[in-house]
Amino acid sequence: MHFQITTEYLDALKEAISAGNDAYINNLLQELHASDIAEIFNELDLEESKFVYKHLDDEEAGKVLVEMDEDVRERFLASLTSKEIAEQFIDNMESDDAADVISELPDNVQNEVLSHIEDADQASDIVDLLNYDENTAGGLMAKELVKVNLNKTMLDCVRELRAHADEIKHIYAIYVVDDDDKLVGLISLKKVLTTSLRSPIRAVFNTEIISVKTNTDAEEAAKVMEKYDLVVLPVIDAIGRLVGRITIDDVIDVIRKEETEDVQKMGGMEVLDEPYMTMPFWPLIKKRAGWLVILFIGETFTATAMSFFEDQIAKAVVLALFVPLIISSGGNTGSQASTLIIRSLALGEVTIKEWWRIIKKELLVGFMLGLILGCIGFIRIALWTRIFKNVYGEHWLAVAFTVGSSLIGVVLWGNLSGSILPIILKKAGRDPAVSSAPFVATLVDVTGLVIYFSVATLMLKGILL
Amino acid sequence: MHFQITTEYLDALKEAISAGNDAYINNLLQELHASDIAEIFNELDLEESKFVYKHLDDEEAGKVLVEMDEDVRERFLASLTSKEIAEQFIDNMESDDAADVISELPDNVQNEVLSHIEDADQASDIVDLLNYDENTAGGLMAKELVKVNLNKTMLDCVRELRAHADEIKHIYAIYVVDDDDKLVGLISLKKVLTTSLRSPIRAVFNTEIISVKTNTDAEEAAKVMEKYDLVVLPVIDAIGRLVGRITIDDVIDVIRKEETEDVQKMGGMEVLDEPYMTMPFWPLIKKRAGWLVILFIGETFTATAMSFFEDQIAKAVVLALFVPLIISSGGNTGSQASTLIIRSLALGEVTIKEWWRIIKKELLVGFMLGLILGCIGFIRIALWTRIFKNVYGEHWLAVAFTVGSSLIGVVLWGNLSGSILPIILKKAGRDPAVSSAPFVATLVDVTGLVIYFSVATLMLKGILL
C-alpha cells in the first residue's frame, strides 16, 4: 500500500540515471508521492539528485524539498543558484515551508533568494515569517488562509474559497473576521456544503473558536491542538487580528522534537540541536561532556565517602566486593522511579500537588523491591559459600545479613530519591527530565555507600570489624 | 483563549453544586469546550459529577466522556445503569469512541449496554469494531465515513455528504469506491466546492490514495499519516473494501503511547499498561521487579569479578576507593550513547546499515570524553594529596595514573557498548529501547572492573602490589 525503498529498487534507479533514461525516471516520479521521492533523494548522491530533480514539475519539486532530510537538502540547495532555488522551489511552496527552507540557508544566500521570488505577496509573507522565533506559534504558522468578513454571505464565502483554492494545499475551515480583521469565528467546509448560499455569515458561523497568539510557545500550541482535537489552529497577533494558521502536521513535528529533548535529557546530556548523524564532533562533545563532568564530580564524593570507611575495608576486604552490587541496585531502582514520574508529569497524568500520594506509594513499592533484591542477595551469598567453600570467609552469614539489609535500605532510598527529585525540579520551575537516570544514580551512589558501610559497622562490630 | 482550571474556579463551582445552583452550572457549561468540561470532571467527586452531567445535552455528554481521564470515566460509568450509558452517551458518540468506552467496561455490562443502543447500525458498527485488536488500524478506526460510487456525479457526492453531515463530527474527504465497494480514490472537500456539480466523479476524483489494512499495526498507521501529512487515513479489509477511517487525533495518542513505552523501557522496566497513578501495587511491582532482578543478577558478576582481585584490594585498599567512580563514569557515558542511538533509530535518523559510521564516530567521541574525565580524575587525586596530606599514600602518583588511564579505557568501552547495543538489538529484531541506561551500566560495570584492576595490576606491580 505504501512505499518502501529496497536495494534492488535503488540499484535499478541509479542505473537508469547513469544511462540518462528519462522515460524511466518520468514514469517513476509519476507513480510516487512527494514524501517517497524525498526518501529516494536521501539515498542519491548530488549528481544523481540533480538529474532526477530536473524531471519534477515545480509544484512537486517544492513538496519533495520540504520532505528531504535536512542535511541532504542543505547539500542539494548549495549546488543550485539563488535564482533556481527561488523560481523552481520557493515560488510554489506554502509560506511556512518556504520560510523554513530559507531560514536554513546562509545569510547572504537568503537575501539573494528572497530577491528572486516572483510573487511579491509570497516574498513579503516569507520575510514576515522569518521574523518569528521558530519555537513560537508564529514560527510554525503559514500565512495562506481563507477568511471572510462577518457581514458577507455564504456566497461570498464560496467565492473567496474558490479564489484561494489553488494556493492552499488543504483547506479545513474558513475564518470569519470583523471589519478590523479581528478573528471572531469560523465556518467549517462541511457547513459551507450544507448551508444555503444566501445565508448571511453572521447567522451561521461558529463563534466557539480557539486560537493562539504569535508569541505562544510552540509546545503550548501543540498541547492546545492535541487537547481540543484540532487539525488547524488560527494564530492572532497582539491585538487579535488573524495573521496565520498552524496545521497538525507541523505540530506532530513539534511533539516529536519535544519527546526527543526529554529523552536526551533523561539520558544525562544536553539537548542536541541537530540529528545525531549531522552533529559535528566538537559540538557533540560539548553537549555530552558538560553533564558527564558534573556527574563525575558528584561521583568523586563516593571516593571521599569510601575513604571514611577505609579501615573497615582493610579489616574486611569482603565488604568491598559488594560495593558495586549494592549501589547499582539503588541507582537502577531510582532510574525506574524517576522515569515513571518524569513521564507522568510530562503527560499530565500526575501533578506536583499529588506529591504526598506519590511518596506514600513509592515508599511501599521501594520497600517491596528492596525486600526482593535483599533476599536474592542473601541467597546468592549463602549459595556461593556452599558451592565455593569459604569464598566469603567464616562469617559469611553476618556478611549475607549485612548485604541483604543494606539492599533494602539502599533500594528504598534510591526509589524515594528517584521519585521525589523530578517533583522538586518541577516545583522549582526546572525541567523534571533533568533528573536523569545517571543523575539519580550518582546521588544514590554516594548515599548508598554511607548506608551500606553504616549497616556493616553496626552488624559486623565484634565479628569482622 | 484556552482554559485553565484554577483553585478559585473549582471552589466556586463546588459551592454552586452543593447549593444546587442549576443556572450557574448551565451558564458555565454553555461557555466551555467539551475537553474543558472533561477536565473539570477529573477534579470532581462522584456525586458532584453526577449533578453536573445532568445539565449536559446528550451530544455534549458523549464528547465529555471521551475526554475524561480513564480512571475517572471508569468510576463515573460504574455509577450509572447500562440503559443510561447506552442512551445518554453511546447513542450520540462516533463509533470508534463508543467502542473504546465500551471496551473498558466489565464484560457483562458491555453486553447490557450494547443491547440498549437504539440505533441498530450504531450497535452493529460497535460490535464490529470491538473485534479488532486495539493495537491495529482496525482498533483505531471509526466506521462513519462518506463514500460515493465511481459512476455517480458530483451532485450525488454533495447529496451523500449532506445525508451524513449530522453523524460525522469532521469530514475531510469523500471516498470513491467501485461497484464491489473497493476503495479506488478520494475527493477533497475543496474539490467539491470548486467543481461543477454536473461533473462525473470518474473525471475529477484523485486516484493517488494511501490506505492501510485493518490488521496494519497502529504504530505503522501512525507513521504513514505522519510521513504523508494526512489528517485522515482510509482503512480497507483483506480484499480492498473500504471499512473505516482513522483521524489524526487518534494517531497523536498512538504517538504519545509509543513514546511512553520507549521511555519506560529506557528507564529499565517493562511498559506499564495504565497511567502511573491508577496502576495497582502488585502489577506495578511485577513490571518493575522483573528487570531489576535481571539487572541485579547481572550485577552480581561485579562481586565475582572483584573477588578475583581480592588480594590486590587487600594489599592496596586505596584501589577500592575509586571503584564506584570509575564504573559509574563508564555507565554514564554508555547511557548517553545508548540514548542517542535509540532515539535516532526510532526517528529514522540513522539506520542499522550505518553501524560502521556510528562506531567510528563513537570511538573518537568516547576517547575524547574518556580523556576529559581521566584528566579530571588525575587532577582530583593530585589535589587531594596536596590538601589532605598523604590521603592516598606515598604512591599517590602511581594511583593517579592508574585511575586516569583506567577512566579513558572504561569510558571508551562504555561509550562503545552503549552505542552498539541498540544496533545489535535492532538487527536481532528486538526493540533497541531495551538497551536502557541501567542495562548498559550493568554491562559496563562488570567489564569496567576488569579493565580497572587489570590496568592497576600492570601499573602498580612492584610499587603497591
Side-chain angles (χ1 to χ4, degrees), chain B residues 324-369:
Chain B
L325 178 65
I326 287 173
I327 62 178
S328 72
S329 297
N332 290 343
T333 320
S335 150
Q336 287 187 340
S338 74
T339 303
L340 272 180
I341 303 297
I342 292 170
R343 188 64 192 167
S344 299
L345 284 171
L347 291 178
E349 286 173 1
V350 306
T351 58
I352 49 173
K353 279 185 289 181
E354 297 172 280
W355 65 275
W356 179 237
R357 271 182 70 193
I358 297 172
I359 290 178
K360 274 193 298 183
K361 185 164 184 170
E362 288 309 320
L363 268 171
L364 273 175
V365 169
F367 178 76
M368 185 49 64
L369 293 173

Side-chain angles (χ1 to χ4, degrees), chain A residues 138-174:
Chain A
L140 282 181
M141 72 183 182
K143 303 284 278 185
E144 292 86 356
L145 47 80
V146 185
K147 61 183 177 186
V148 60
N149 188 288
L150 185 60
N151 300 314
K152 299 284 177 81
T153 65
M154 286 303 273
L155 183 63
D156 299 309
C157 179
V158 171
R159 282 194 186 129
E160 194 62 27
L161 199 62
R162 290 197 174 143
H164 288 84
D166 269 355
E167 72 187 55
I168 313 184
K169 195 168 50 169
H170 301 296
I171 300 178
Y172 305 111
I174 297 105

Side-chain angles (χ1 to χ4, degrees), chain B residues 74-116:
Chain B
E74 211 172 284
R75 233 178 316 127
F76 180 66
L77 290 182
S79 76
L80 302 179
T81 67
S82 300
K83 195 160 184 292
E84 282 174 316
I85 296 176
E87 290 176 3
Q88 274 155 39
F89 295 99
I90 304 295
D91 266 345
N92 296 290
M93 285 164 79
E94 295 212 334
S95 57
D96 57 338
D97 292 335
D100 287 347
V101 167
I102 290 182
S103 70
E104 289 168 19
L105 297 171
D107 282 353
N108 56 327
V109 184
Q110 287 192 12
N111 292 331
E112 276 182 42
V113 172
L114 286 169
S115 72
H116 284 296

Side-chain angles (χ1 to χ4, degrees), chain A residues 330-343:
Chain A
N332 291 343
T333 320
S335 148
Q336 286 188 340
S338 73
T339 303
L340 272 180
I341 303 300
I342 292 170
R343 187 65 192 169

Side-chain angles (χ1 to χ4, degrees), chain A residues 26-54:
Chain A
N26 280 330
N27 196 22
L28 184 106
L29 296 180
Q30 198 71 40
E31 275 175 5
L32 292 177
H33 188 282
S35 302
D36 296 322
I37 301 174
E39 277 193 2
I40 291 177
F41 269 81
N42 292 340
E43 301 295 326
L44 298 179
D45 67 29
L46 199 54
E47 282 310 306
E48 292 167 336
S49 301
K50 291 189 79 168
F51 182 81
V52 174
Y53 126 79
K54 290 202 196 311

Side-chain angles (χ1 to χ4, degrees), chain A residues 57-232:
Chain A
D57 64 54
D58 288 355
E59 199 181 330
E60 191 83 345
K63 288 186 199 162
V64 172
L65 191 72
V66 172
E67 298 291 335
M68 280 183 204
D69 282 352
E70 206 177 307
D71 54 326
V72 176
R73 178 165 56 233
E74 210 172 286
R75 233 178 316 128
F76 180 66
L77 289 182
S79 75
L80 302 178
T81 67
S82 299
K83 195 160 184 292
E84 281 174 316
I85 297 176
E87 291 177 2
Q88 274 153 39
F89 294 99
I90 304 297
D91 266 344
N92 296 289
M93 286 163 80
E94 295 211 334
S95 57
D96 57 339
D97 292 335
D100 287 347
V101 167
I102 290 181
S103 70
E104 289 168 20
L105 297 171
D107 282 352
N108 55 330
V109 184
Q110 285 191 15
N111 291 333
E112 275 182 42
V113 171
L114 285 169
S115 71
H116 284 296
I117 296 175
E118 280 176 9
D119 179 346
D121 285 345
Q122 168 84 334
S124 128
D125 280 352
I126 295 172
V127 170
D128 209 27
L129 288 179
L130 287 172
N131 287 329
Y132 294 105
D133 179 338
E134 61 165 336
N135 296 316
T136 64
L140 282 181
M141 72 183 182
K143 303 284 278 185
E144 292 86 356
L145 47 80
V146 185
K147 61 183 177 186
V148 60
N149 188 288
L150 185 60
N151 300 314
K152 299 284 177 81
T153 65
M154 286 303 273
L155 183 63
D156 299 309
C157 179
V158 171
R159 282 194 186 129
E160 194 62 27
L161 199 62
R162 290 197 174 143
H164 288 84
D166 269 355
E167 72 187 55
I168 313 184
K169 195 168 50 169
H170 301 296
I171 300 178
Y172 305 111
I174 297 105
Y175 294 109
V176 180
V177 293
D178 66 11
D179 291 336
D180 298 326
D181 217 23
K182 283 189 184 147
L183 178 68
V184 292
L186 64 82
I187 300 171
S188 68
L189 288 200
K190 191 170 90 174
K191 193 87 181 177
V192 177
L193 284 161
T194 54
T195 310
S196 154
L197 290 180
R198 283 182 303 264
S199 312
I201 299 281
R202 199 176 275 282
V204 297
F205 84 109
N206 185 351
T207 55
E208 272 189 19
I209 188 160
I210 292 154
S211 60
V212 290
K213 293 215 166 114
T214 48
N215 62 357
T216 301
D217 187 76
E219 288 187 17
E220 179 62 26
K223 283 218 175 73
V224 171
M225 292 190 82
E226 200 179 339
K227 176 174 168 187
Y228 296 107
D229 294 340
L230 305 174
V231 296
V232 59

Side-chain angles (χ1 to χ4, degrees), chain A residues 360-426:
Chain A
K360 273 193 299 183
K361 185 165 186 169
E362 288 309 320
L363 269 171
L364 275 175
V365 169
F367 179 75
M368 186 49 64
L369 293 173
L371 201 64
I372 294 172
L373 296 191
C375 288
I376 299 177
F378 185 92
I379 294 169
R380 162 64 163 68
I381 294 176
L383 216 62
W384 255 235
T385 302
R386 198 144 253 268
I387 302 173
F388 312 98
K389 296 277 165 240
N390 221 22
V391 61
Y392 300 128
E394 53 172 333
H395 297 296
W396 66 268
L397 194 63
V399 172
F401 267 114
T402 304
V403 170
S405 42
S406 300
L407 276 168
I408 299 178
V410 171
V411 167
L412 181 60
W413 169 246
N415 200 49
L416 209 61
S417 315
S419 43
I420 296 175
L421 214 65
I423 300 174
I424 294 176
L425 283 167
K426 175 105 183 184

